Amino acid sequence: MATVEVNENTFQLGSATIEDVLNSRVTKKNLKSYFDEVKYKSNSSKSKLDQVYFYLQERPKDLAQLKTFFAKSIMFGKSRIVTESFIANSPSPAYHVDTLLDRLGVESLEDYCTNLLDNFVPSQVFQPVYRDVIAEKNDINAINIIYTRLFRNRKAKGDITRAEYVWFELNLQEKRFRLHFTNDKTNEVDSDLPSNSKNLFAFFSRKLNRQFDIVLDLQNEKKVVYTIYHTLTEQNERSYAVKVKPYLSDIEEFYSEMLNNLGMSSQDDTVDGKYRIEKLFVRMLISQNFNDFLNTKTAEGRVKAFSFENNGNGTRLNASSGATRDTTNDMMTYIETSDAYFDNKETIDKAKALFSVLVQWNPGFDDIKDIMQVRYSAFDGFLETHFLYTPVKEEEYGIELRKIDRIRERSRSNN
């Protein structure tokens, strides 16, 4: 095992910490931010390992604080996939400190809480290396656990320790359960437990039930995904709809006249004809310069792609030649033309359900500083949020997840 010894064996940094946590989860920028926070002047020209070595030589009592920084580096950054579920059974006996300790067979929260991120050895099965409980008197607010197992595949170098991490986040105040992990699905250490959302969710939801006697609500989140789609398309179309609004009385007059000419009444209208005529003019305005419509950032976000299957007849929507296979093994249909946008929109609005949407969140809204691309997918029991392309900061997680809470509330109110 590769180790770094400090102050004559006071403690050691294990090979997994050196070769994986420091190498792949801690960036030089984040390490500098940590040193700035603890008011330590480090030589940034040196390697991350050297900087940590000299820091602990000078301030060995800061080890606990450094290990907390390691935990945060695992929780955020590369952990760009989040599954979110809600607790079904309430109240649960595990909501209180004394009953939780009795259930877990430990004397105190101090005995239960741990942080082994300075020196741990990942095995083939998931084991906790970090546990933290946030409690107020006898009430438990939240439990955070980082599980790790060995990472191994045919491309991995055999002489370097690599690990896979899952952050298990249980928020008892909000009755919410989340898992956070990376998008790397190539771990071959256990063929019975592949590193994908559905398998990890099934595994850790069973662990949640066994350890804490908590059962999750396994409803499908397709209506929430649809509400994300509907909310953003409505925002982006608003300026065009405003131009049509002054002529709604003319549209109604035309609609009534045509019904009369055809010997029909409004009771014969099964396709919502008046609404469709109104939306046809909105479509014409947008289609005049669809590229401008796609690239204008006057709304908080824009739907860039979606995946939708009509379970009633088995047909799949196809919007353009730009469809590509994504990591959910479904086809994402990319919105590239006005026909792709409008022809599918009618079907989606009728079904009021979507499996997946890819959203671009724009800067200038909710304190977002840079464009964020996020894909939302609905599975039985959880909503998957996948931050694409770049590592995510802790504050960005908070902003984005609050957006989804707001949209989720809108979805509930529309039911």
Side-chain angles (χ1 to χ4, degrees):
M1 173 189 288
T3 63
V4 169
E5 299 181 0
V6 181
N7 284 358
E8 298 181 352
N9 292 319
T10 303
F11 58 86
Q12 295 180 326
L13 295 183
S15 60
T17 304
I18 296 169
E19 296 168 359
D20 195 66
V21 176
L22 267 175
N23 186 46
S24 69
R25 304 308 291 259
V26 174
T27 67
K28 274 201 165 185
K29 183 177 180 181
N30 289 346
L31 187 59
K32 182 183 183 305
S33 296
Y34 168 74
F35 286 143
D36 289 343
E37 184 181 326
V38 297
K39 296 179 171 54
Y40 173 76
K41 189 169 180 58
S42 176
N43 185 347
S44 58
S45 65
K46 292 186 177 296
S47 70
K48 290 180 287 185
L49 180 57
D50 282 344
Q51 290 183 67
V52 169
Y53 172 80
F54 288 113
Y55 169 60
L56 292 177
Q57 282 277 23
E58 294 178 36
R59 292 164 62 167
K61 292 182 179 179
D62 280 7
L63 176 61
Q65 201 166 354
L66 180 67
K67 290 195 297 182
T68 300
F69 164 69
F70 287 161
K72 284 290 185 75
S73 299
I74 291 169
M75 289 172 171
F76 303 102
K78 286 188 176 181
S79 295
R80 295 189 285 110
I81 296 181
V82 184
T83 72
E84 181 177 67
S85 312
F86 290 89
I87 296 170
N89 62 324
S90 178
S92 166
Y95 283 23
H96 303 292
V97 173
D98 49 2
T99 49
L100 175 66
L101 295 178
D102 184 61
R103 184 176 183 83
L104 297 174
V106 294
E107 293 293 324
S108 67
L109 288 181
E110 288 73 20
D111 293 333
Y112 177 70
C113 296
T114 188
N115 189 337
L116 307 176
L117 288 170
D118 59 324
N119 195 349
F120 65 99
V121 180
S123 67
Q124 293 190 342
V125 297
F126 278 111
Q127 298 289 343
V129 290
Y130 172 89
R131 286 193 298 251
D132 183 52
V133 176
I134 301 170
E136 193 172 330
K137 296 182 179 178
N138 194 41
D139 294 325
I140 297 172
N141 295 336
I143 300 172
N144 290 288
I145 308 173
I146 295 175
Y147 287 92
T148 187
R149 67 175 174 177
L150 195 65
F151 182 95
R152 184 180 294 155
N153 64 20
R154 280 161 284 189
K155 294 181 181 179
K157 295 181 180 179
D159 57 341
I160 294 177
T161 304
R162 290 191 61 195
E164 176 184 2
Y165 308 92
V166 175
W167 170 21
F168 174 111
E169 179 191 5
L170 177 60
N171 189 319
L172 294 169
Q173 280 193 321
E174 298 177 1
K175 304 188 188 307
R176 194 190 309 255
F177 174 62
R178 290 185 180 126
L179 296 173
H180 307 245
F181 45 92
T182 73
N183 188 41
D184 191 340
K185 298 177 173 62
T186 62
N187 194 356
E188 299 170 357
V189 73
D190 183 356
S191 60
D192 293 328
L193 184 55
S195 302
N196 61 56
S197 297
K198 292 180 74 173
N199 284 284
L200 292 176
F201 172 77
F203 176 81
F204 284 103
S205 59
R206 289 194 296 269
K207 191 176 286 288
L208 176 74
N209 180 246
R210 287 195 302 268
Q211 288 189 7
F212 305 107
D213 193 27
I214 287 176
V215 177
L216 296 175
D217 184 347
L218 297 181
Q219 69 177 349
N220 195 285
E221 299 280 31
K222 285 186 178 181
K223 289 192 180 298
V224 174
V225 175
Y226 166 73
T227 305
I228 296 170
Y229 168 89
H230 180 71
T231 299
L232 295 180
T233 53
E234 188 179 66
Q235 286 181 15
N236 281 279
E237 290 180 13
R238 191 168 293 151
S239 62
Y240 300 89
V242 166
K243 293 180 180 179
V244 175
K245 190 173 181 180
Y247 306 101
L248 292 183
S249 59
D250 296 326
I251 290 172
E252 182 161 2
E253 184 178 338
F254 169 75
Y255 167 76
S256 300
E257 184 178 342
M258 286 302 300
L259 286 178
N260 185 57
N261 291 341
L262 294 170
M264 300 172 68
S265 70
S266 57
Q267 283 75 26
D268 299 315
D269 182 0
T270 60
V271 296
D272 201 4
K274 184 170 63 176
Y275 175 79
R276 285 173 181 251
I277 294 169
E278 175 191 343
K279 290 302 176 183
L280 179 61
F281 285 106
V282 173
R283 174 174 181 168
M284 290 170 64
L285 287 170
I286 292 172
S287 298
Q288 281 184 320
N289 197 329
F290 192 67
N291 283 335
D292 282 355
F293 173 73
L294 288 181
N295 295 313
T296 301
K297 297 181 176 62
T298 55
E300 64 177 320
R302 175 176 303 284
V303 174
K304 295 178 66 68
F306 60 85
S307 178
F308 168 76
E309 188 161 348
N310 186 333
N311 293 323
N313 58 24
T315 58
R316 179 182 297 279
L317 296 177
N318 291 302
S320 72
S321 60
T324 58
R325 187 163 294 279
D326 74 0
T327 53
T328 63
N329 285 331
D330 246 87
M331 294 294 288
M332 288 298 285
T333 301
Y334 284 80
I335 298 170
E336 296 176 339
T337 66
S338 60
D339 286 345
Y341 177 79
F342 285 105
D343 291 350
N344 291 310
K345 187 175 185 297
E346 184 175 314
T347 307
I348 293 168
D349 283 338
K350 185 175 181 180
K352 294 189 180 345
L354 268 177
F355 166 63
S356 185
V357 289
L358 170 60
V359 171
Q360 174 181 296
W361 295 110
N362 294 322
F365 297 86
D366 294 329
D367 296 326
I368 291 179
K369 295 179 175 60
D370 300 300
I371 286 175
M372 291 172 57
Q373 296 205 43
V374 184
R375 188 181 63 229
Y376 304 92
S377 303
F379 295 90
D380 289 338
F382 66 93
L383 175 70
E384 179 193 273
T385 298
H386 183 180
F387 296 85
L388 300 176
Y389 309 125
T390 56
V392 185
K393 299 173 184 175
E394 182 177 356
E395 58 269 23
E396 290 174 329
Y397 265 112
I399 291 168
E400 191 282 331
L401 294 174
R402 284 194 296 274
K403 281 179 179 288
I404 297 308
D405 279 347
R406 191 170 68 240
I407 289 172
R408 192 186 294 278
E409 282 302 313
R410 180 170 177 173
S411 175
R412 288 170 180 158
S413 66
N414 289 338
N415 284 343

